[in-house]
Amino acid sequence: MTKTLPHSVDPQTGKRYWLIKSEPLSRIEGKDQEVAYPLSNLLTNSFTTWDGVRNHEAKNHMLNMSLGDYCLFYHSNCPHPGIVGIVEVCKEAHPDHSQWELGNKYVDPKSSHDSPRWWCVDVKFNRRLKSKLTLDILRADPELAEMALVKRGRLSVTPVRTEEFLRVLQMEKESALKDDLDCEIPRDLIDIVS
DNA sequence: GCCAACGTTGGC
DNA sequence: GCCAACGTTGGC
């Protein structure tokens, strides 16, 4: 595995930006483990632990996250995958306890408490995007052609460069303006109906 | 260290 | 549900 260095912080905010993927639609794995975690869950839970990531590259990105960093929140494995909101790192990397939980689908027999293999961060809600930015829209934008989400489709935690993050916010603004003109669906329902 | 087999992700 | 992409595993 290649050692990763974090991308640079936004000089304006001192933050790094990332993208994390989650499935919004209920899906049970194994006996009874719900794997879905829609952004709306973070409206009722004050934070969530981003555990269950079992890819070393994704894990390394989480090890590089700092308190206060922003993560674009992406809904995958659904009819219209895309970025739906922003969450904030509220606890830096700590061992992912699911690796030691008997019966957990993420258990890793090779991992010991002395040297954990898997790590996670906690994130809390920041805000919803005014309008979902679908993968189609993101892929069609030349300024996002190098974005890890586009180039490394299967990685569930990816870095986002400052200029990419700002571009996403700009696209949100443009897209929301368009919604005002031709979308009758109340904002709060957009995620639900999609 | 190579690489075939296998497993997983996630768009479609 | 299919399957391409790609990461991981393990035999050699």
mmCIF file with all atom_site columns, all heavy atoms in Angstrom, chain A residues 74 77 139 154, chain B residues 9-12:
data_model
loop_
_atom_site.group_PDB
_atom_site.id
_atom_site.type_symbol
_atom_site.label_atom_id
_atom_site.label_alt_id
_atom_site.label_comp_id
_atom_site.label_asym_id
_atom_site.label_entity_id
_atom_site.label_seq_id
_atom_site.pdbx_PDB_ins_code
_atom_site.Cartn_x
_atom_site.Cartn_y
_atom_site.Cartn_z
_atom_site.occupancy
_atom_site.B_iso_or_equiv
_atom_site.pdbx_formal_charge
_atom_site.auth_seq_id
_atom_site.auth_comp_id
_atom_site.auth_asym_id
_atom_site.auth_atom_id
_atom_site.pdbx_PDB_model_num
ATOM 1   N N     . TYR A 1 74  ? -22.033 12.040 0.620   1.00 0.00 ? 74  TYR A N     1
ATOM 2   C CA    . TYR A 1 74  ? -22.473 11.513 -0.671  1.00 0.00 ? 74  TYR A CA    1
ATOM 3   C C     . TYR A 1 74  ? -23.385 10.313 -0.471  1.00 0.00 ? 74  TYR A C     1
ATOM 4   O O     . TYR A 1 74  ? -23.052 9.401  0.297   1.00 0.00 ? 74  TYR A O     1
ATOM 5   C CB    . TYR A 1 74  ? -21.225 11.104 -1.447  1.00 0.00 ? 74  TYR A CB    1
ATOM 6   C CG    . TYR A 1 74  ? -21.454 10.507 -2.818  1.00 0.00 ? 74  TYR A CG    1
ATOM 7   C CD1   . TYR A 1 74  ? -21.444 11.311 -3.955  1.00 0.00 ? 74  TYR A CD1   1
ATOM 8   C CD2   . TYR A 1 74  ? -21.641 9.139  -2.987  1.00 0.00 ? 74  TYR A CD2   1
ATOM 9   C CE1   . TYR A 1 74  ? -21.618 10.770 -5.224  1.00 0.00 ? 74  TYR A CE1   1
ATOM 10  C CE2   . TYR A 1 74  ? -21.818 8.590  -4.249  1.00 0.00 ? 74  TYR A CE2   1
ATOM 11  C CZ    . TYR A 1 74  ? -21.806 9.409  -5.359  1.00 0.00 ? 74  TYR A CZ    1
ATOM 12  O OH    . TYR A 1 74  ? -21.977 8.861  -6.608  1.00 0.00 ? 74  TYR A OH    1
ATOM 13  N N     . ASN A 1 77  ? -25.424 4.105  -4.096  1.00 0.00 ? 77  ASN A N     1
ATOM 14  C CA    . ASN A 1 77  ? -26.273 2.915  -4.188  1.00 0.00 ? 77  ASN A CA    1
ATOM 15  C C     . ASN A 1 77  ? -27.755 3.265  -4.076  1.00 0.00 ? 77  ASN A C     1
ATOM 16  O O     . ASN A 1 77  ? -28.496 2.616  -3.346  1.00 0.00 ? 77  ASN A O     1
ATOM 17  C CB    . ASN A 1 77  ? -25.886 1.922  -3.081  1.00 0.00 ? 77  ASN A CB    1
ATOM 18  C CG    . ASN A 1 77  ? -25.825 0.505  -3.619  1.00 0.00 ? 77  ASN A CG    1
ATOM 19  O OD1   . ASN A 1 77  ? -26.212 0.230  -4.752  1.00 0.00 ? 77  ASN A OD1   1
ATOM 20  N ND2   . ASN A 1 77  ? -25.341 -0.396 -2.799  1.00 0.00 ? 77  ASN A ND2   1
ATOM 21  N N     . ARG A 1 139 ? -19.731 14.789 -12.778 1.00 0.00 ? 139 ARG A N     1
ATOM 22  C CA    . ARG A 1 139 ? -18.880 14.238 -13.844 1.00 0.00 ? 139 ARG A CA    1
ATOM 23  C C     . ARG A 1 139 ? -18.840 15.123 -15.080 1.00 0.00 ? 139 ARG A C     1
ATOM 24  O O     . ARG A 1 139 ? -17.869 15.131 -15.824 1.00 0.00 ? 139 ARG A O     1
ATOM 25  C CB    . ARG A 1 139 ? -19.397 12.852 -14.245 1.00 0.00 ? 139 ARG A CB    1
ATOM 26  C CG    . ARG A 1 139 ? -18.957 11.756 -13.303 1.00 0.00 ? 139 ARG A CG    1
ATOM 27  C CD    . ARG A 1 139 ? -18.777 10.435 -14.014 1.00 0.00 ? 139 ARG A CD    1
ATOM 28  N NE    . ARG A 1 139 ? -20.021 9.714  -14.146 1.00 0.00 ? 139 ARG A NE    1
ATOM 29  C CZ    . ARG A 1 139 ? -20.217 8.489  -13.660 1.00 0.00 ? 139 ARG A CZ    1
ATOM 30  N NH1   . ARG A 1 139 ? -19.253 7.885  -12.980 1.00 0.00 ? 139 ARG A NH1   1
ATOM 31  N NH2   . ARG A 1 139 ? -21.353 7.884  -13.844 1.00 0.00 ? 139 ARG A NH2   1
ATOM 32  N N     . ARG A 1 154 ? -14.687 3.725  -6.612  1.00 0.00 ? 154 ARG A N     1
ATOM 33  C CA    . ARG A 1 154 ? -15.093 2.780  -5.556  1.00 0.00 ? 154 ARG A CA    1
ATOM 34  C C     . ARG A 1 154 ? -14.586 3.113  -4.164  1.00 0.00 ? 154 ARG A C     1
ATOM 35  O O     . ARG A 1 154 ? -14.888 2.405  -3.215  1.00 0.00 ? 154 ARG A O     1
ATOM 36  C CB    . ARG A 1 154 ? -14.630 1.366  -5.900  1.00 0.00 ? 154 ARG A CB    1
ATOM 37  C CG    . ARG A 1 154 ? -14.827 1.006  -7.332  1.00 0.00 ? 154 ARG A CG    1
ATOM 38  C CD    . ARG A 1 154 ? -16.015 0.122  -7.543  1.00 0.00 ? 154 ARG A CD    1
ATOM 39  N NE    . ARG A 1 154 ? -16.720 0.582  -8.720  1.00 0.00 ? 154 ARG A NE    1
ATOM 40  C CZ    . ARG A 1 154 ? -17.780 -0.014 -9.238  1.00 0.00 ? 154 ARG A CZ    1
ATOM 41  N NH1   . ARG A 1 154 ? -18.245 -1.081 -8.671  1.00 0.00 ? 154 ARG A NH1   1
ATOM 42  N NH2   . ARG A 1 154 ? -18.354 0.465  -10.290 1.00 0.00 ? 154 ARG A NH2   1
ATOM 43  P P     . DT  B 2 9   ? -18.031 -3.601 0.286   1.00 0.00 ? 9   DT  B P     1
ATOM 44  O OP1   . DT  B 2 9   ? -17.579 -2.905 1.502   1.00 0.00 ? 9   DT  B OP1   1
ATOM 45  O OP2   . DT  B 2 9   ? -19.318 -4.313 0.227   1.00 0.00 ? 9   DT  B OP2   1
ATOM 46  O "O5'" . DT  B 2 9   ? -18.005 -2.542 -0.888  1.00 0.00 ? 9   DT  B "O5'" 1
ATOM 47  C "C5'" . DT  B 2 9   ? -16.771 -1.956 -1.288  1.00 0.00 ? 9   DT  B "C5'" 1
ATOM 48  C "C4'" . DT  B 2 9   ? -17.024 -1.163 -2.532  1.00 0.00 ? 9   DT  B "C4'" 1
ATOM 49  O "O4'" . DT  B 2 9   ? -17.202 -2.067 -3.636  1.00 0.00 ? 9   DT  B "O4'" 1
ATOM 50  C "C3'" . DT  B 2 9   ? -18.279 -0.289 -2.479  1.00 0.00 ? 9   DT  B "C3'" 1
ATOM 51  O "O3'" . DT  B 2 9   ? -17.857 1.016  -2.790  1.00 0.00 ? 9   DT  B "O3'" 1
ATOM 52  C "C2'" . DT  B 2 9   ? -19.222 -0.908 -3.505  1.00 0.00 ? 9   DT  B "C2'" 1
ATOM 53  C "C1'" . DT  B 2 9   ? -18.269 -1.625 -4.442  1.00 0.00 ? 9   DT  B "C1'" 1
ATOM 54  N N1    . DT  B 2 9   ? -18.720 -2.846 -5.131  1.00 0.00 ? 9   DT  B N1    1
ATOM 55  C C2    . DT  B 2 9   ? -18.396 -2.993 -6.458  1.00 0.00 ? 9   DT  B C2    1
ATOM 56  O O2    . DT  B 2 9   ? -17.791 -2.150 -7.095  1.00 0.00 ? 9   DT  B O2    1
ATOM 57  N N3    . DT  B 2 9   ? -18.797 -4.187 -7.017  1.00 0.00 ? 9   DT  B N3    1
ATOM 58  C C4    . DT  B 2 9   ? -19.480 -5.218 -6.396  1.00 0.00 ? 9   DT  B C4    1
ATOM 59  O O4    . DT  B 2 9   ? -19.762 -6.223 -7.008  1.00 0.00 ? 9   DT  B O4    1
ATOM 60  C C5    . DT  B 2 9   ? -19.785 -4.997 -5.009  1.00 0.00 ? 9   DT  B C5    1
ATOM 61  C C7    . DT  B 2 9   ? -20.520 -6.045 -4.242  1.00 0.00 ? 9   DT  B C7    1
ATOM 62  C C6    . DT  B 2 9   ? -19.400 -3.832 -4.447  1.00 0.00 ? 9   DT  B C6    1
ATOM 63  P P     . DG  B 2 10  ? -18.730 2.272  -2.511  1.00 0.00 ? 10  DG  B P     1
ATOM 64  O OP1   . DG  B 2 10  ? -17.845 3.446  -2.461  1.00 0.00 ? 10  DG  B OP1   1
ATOM 65  O OP2   . DG  B 2 10  ? -19.627 1.946  -1.398  1.00 0.00 ? 10  DG  B OP2   1
ATOM 66  O "O5'" . DG  B 2 10  ? -19.597 2.387  -3.831  1.00 0.00 ? 10  DG  B "O5'" 1
ATOM 67  C "C5'" . DG  B 2 10  ? -18.950 2.661  -5.065  1.00 0.00 ? 10  DG  B "C5'" 1
ATOM 68  C "C4'" . DG  B 2 10  ? -19.947 2.453  -6.152  1.00 0.00 ? 10  DG  B "C4'" 1
ATOM 69  O "O4'" . DG  B 2 10  ? -20.168 1.040  -6.354  1.00 0.00 ? 10  DG  B "O4'" 1
ATOM 70  C "C3'" . DG  B 2 10  ? -21.336 3.047  -5.892  1.00 0.00 ? 10  DG  B "C3'" 1
ATOM 71  O "O3'" . DG  B 2 10  ? -21.755 3.644  -7.087  1.00 0.00 ? 10  DG  B "O3'" 1
ATOM 72  C "C2'" . DG  B 2 10  ? -22.199 1.826  -5.592  1.00 0.00 ? 10  DG  B "C2'" 1
ATOM 73  C "C1'" . DG  B 2 10  ? -21.548 0.848  -6.551  1.00 0.00 ? 10  DG  B "C1'" 1
ATOM 74  N N9    . DG  B 2 10  ? -21.875 -0.553 -6.358  1.00 0.00 ? 10  DG  B N9    1
ATOM 75  C C8    . DG  B 2 10  ? -22.337 -1.178 -5.241  1.00 0.00 ? 10  DG  B C8    1
ATOM 76  N N7    . DG  B 2 10  ? -22.557 -2.453 -5.410  1.00 0.00 ? 10  DG  B N7    1
ATOM 77  C C5    . DG  B 2 10  ? -22.216 -2.684 -6.735  1.00 0.00 ? 10  DG  B C5    1
ATOM 78  C C6    . DG  B 2 10  ? -22.231 -3.870 -7.511  1.00 0.00 ? 10  DG  B C6    1
ATOM 79  O O6    . DG  B 2 10  ? -22.577 -4.993 -7.147  1.00 0.00 ? 10  DG  B O6    1
ATOM 80  N N1    . DG  B 2 10  ? -21.789 -3.652 -8.808  1.00 0.00 ? 10  DG  B N1    1
ATOM 81  C C2    . DG  B 2 10  ? -21.372 -2.443 -9.311  1.00 0.00 ? 10  DG  B C2    1
ATOM 82  N N2    . DG  B 2 10  ? -20.982 -2.421 -10.596 1.00 0.00 ? 10  DG  B N2    1
ATOM 83  N N3    . DG  B 2 10  ? -21.352 -1.324 -8.598  1.00 0.00 ? 10  DG  B N3    1
ATOM 84  C C4    . DG  B 2 10  ? -21.784 -1.520 -7.330  1.00 0.00 ? 10  DG  B C4    1
ATOM 85  P P     . DG  B 2 11  ? -22.566 4.973  -7.096  1.00 0.00 ? 11  DG  B P     1
ATOM 86  O OP1   . DG  B 2 11  ? -21.759 6.041  -6.520  1.00 0.00 ? 11  DG  B OP1   1
ATOM 87  O OP2   . DG  B 2 11  ? -23.916 4.717  -6.600  1.00 0.00 ? 11  DG  B OP2   1
ATOM 88  O "O5'" . DG  B 2 11  ? -22.616 5.187  -8.670  1.00 0.00 ? 11  DG  B "O5'" 1
ATOM 89  C "C5'" . DG  B 2 11  ? -21.427 5.069  -9.442  1.00 0.00 ? 11  DG  B "C5'" 1
ATOM 90  C "C4'" . DG  B 2 11  ? -21.744 4.441  -10.777 1.00 0.00 ? 11  DG  B "C4'" 1
ATOM 91  O "O4'" . DG  B 2 11  ? -21.980 3.017  -10.605 1.00 0.00 ? 11  DG  B "O4'" 1
ATOM 92  C "C3'" . DG  B 2 11  ? -22.988 4.986  -11.463 1.00 0.00 ? 11  DG  B "C3'" 1
ATOM 93  O "O3'" . DG  B 2 11  ? -22.719 5.052  -12.857 1.00 0.00 ? 11  DG  B "O3'" 1
ATOM 94  C "C2'" . DG  B 2 11  ? -24.059 3.950  -11.128 1.00 0.00 ? 11  DG  B "C2'" 1
ATOM 95  C "C1'" . DG  B 2 11  ? -23.251 2.665  -11.136 1.00 0.00 ? 11  DG  B "C1'" 1
ATOM 96  N N9    . DG  B 2 11  ? -23.776 1.604  -10.282 1.00 0.00 ? 11  DG  B N9    1
ATOM 97  C C8    . DG  B 2 11  ? -24.168 1.720  -8.974  1.00 0.00 ? 11  DG  B C8    1
ATOM 98  N N7    . DG  B 2 11  ? -24.573 0.597  -8.454  1.00 0.00 ? 11  DG  B N7    1
ATOM 99  C C5    . DG  B 2 11  ? -24.437 -0.324 -9.488  1.00 0.00 ? 11  DG  B C5    1
ATOM 100 C C6    . DG  B 2 11  ? -24.722 -1.726 -9.518  1.00 0.00 ? 11  DG  B C6    1
ATOM 101 O O6    . DG  B 2 11  ? -25.159 -2.432 -8.607  1.00 0.00 ? 11  DG  B O6    1
ATOM 102 N N1    . DG  B 2 11  ? -24.446 -2.288 -10.766 1.00 0.00 ? 11  DG  B N1    1
ATOM 103 C C2    . DG  B 2 11  ? -23.960 -1.587 -11.835 1.00 0.00 ? 11  DG  B C2    1
ATOM 104 N N2    . DG  B 2 11  ? -23.755 -2.296 -12.956 1.00 0.00 ? 11  DG  B N2    1
ATOM 105 N N3    . DG  B 2 11  ? -23.679 -0.281 -11.826 1.00 0.00 ? 11  DG  B N3    1
ATOM 106 C C4    . DG  B 2 11  ? -23.948 0.278  -10.623 1.00 0.00 ? 11  DG  B C4    1
ATOM 107 P P     . DC  B 2 12  ? -23.597 5.905  -13.841 1.00 0.00 ? 12  DC  B P     1
ATOM 108 O OP1   . DC  B 2 12  ? -22.690 6.350  -14.900 1.00 0.00 ? 12  DC  B OP1   1
ATOM 109 O OP2   . DC  B 2 12  ? -24.397 6.882  -13.074 1.00 0.00 ? 12  DC  B OP2   1
ATOM 110 O "O5'" . DC  B 2 12  ? -24.600 4.834  -14.452 1.00 0.00 ? 12  DC  B "O5'" 1
ATOM 111 C "C5'" . DC  B 2 12  ? -24.063 3.809  -15.289 1.00 0.00 ? 12  DC  B "C5'" 1
ATOM 112 C "C4'" . DC  B 2 12  ? -25.078 2.724  -15.436 1.00 0.00 ? 12  DC  B "C4'" 1
ATOM 113 O "O4'" . DC  B 2 12  ? -25.146 1.955  -14.224 1.00 0.00 ? 12  DC  B "O4'" 1
ATOM 114 C "C3'" . DC  B 2 12  ? -26.506 3.222  -15.623 1.00 0.00 ? 12  DC  B "C3'" 1
ATOM 115 O "O3'" . DC  B 2 12  ? -26.764 3.427  -17.016 1.00 0.00 ? 12  DC  B "O3'" 1
ATOM 116 C "C2'" . DC  B 2 12  ? -27.348 2.072  -15.073 1.00 0.00 ? 12  DC  B "C2'" 1
ATOM 117 C "C1'" . DC  B 2 12  ? -26.360 1.225  -14.287 1.00 0.00 ? 12  DC  B "C1'" 1
ATOM 118 N N1    . DC  B 2 12  ? -26.800 0.940  -12.900 1.00 0.00 ? 12  DC  B N1    1
ATOM 119 C C2    . DC  B 2 12  ? -27.117 -0.371 -12.568 1.00 0.00 ? 12  DC  B C2    1
ATOM 120 O O2    . DC  B 2 12  ? -27.020 -1.242 -13.440 1.00 0.00 ? 12  DC  B O2    1
ATOM 121 N N3    . DC  B 2 12  ? -27.524 -0.653 -11.318 1.00 0.00 ? 12  DC  B N3    1
ATOM 122 C C4    . DC  B 2 12  ? -27.614 0.318  -10.400 1.00 0.00 ? 12  DC  B C4    1
ATOM 123 N N4    . DC  B 2 12  ? -28.007 -0.015 -9.177  1.00 0.00 ? 12  DC  B N4    1
ATOM 124 C C5    . DC  B 2 12  ? -27.299 1.662  -10.726 1.00 0.00 ? 12  DC  B C5    1
ATOM 125 C C6    . DC  B 2 12  ? -26.900 1.930  -11.974 1.00 0.00 ? 12  DC  B C6    1
#
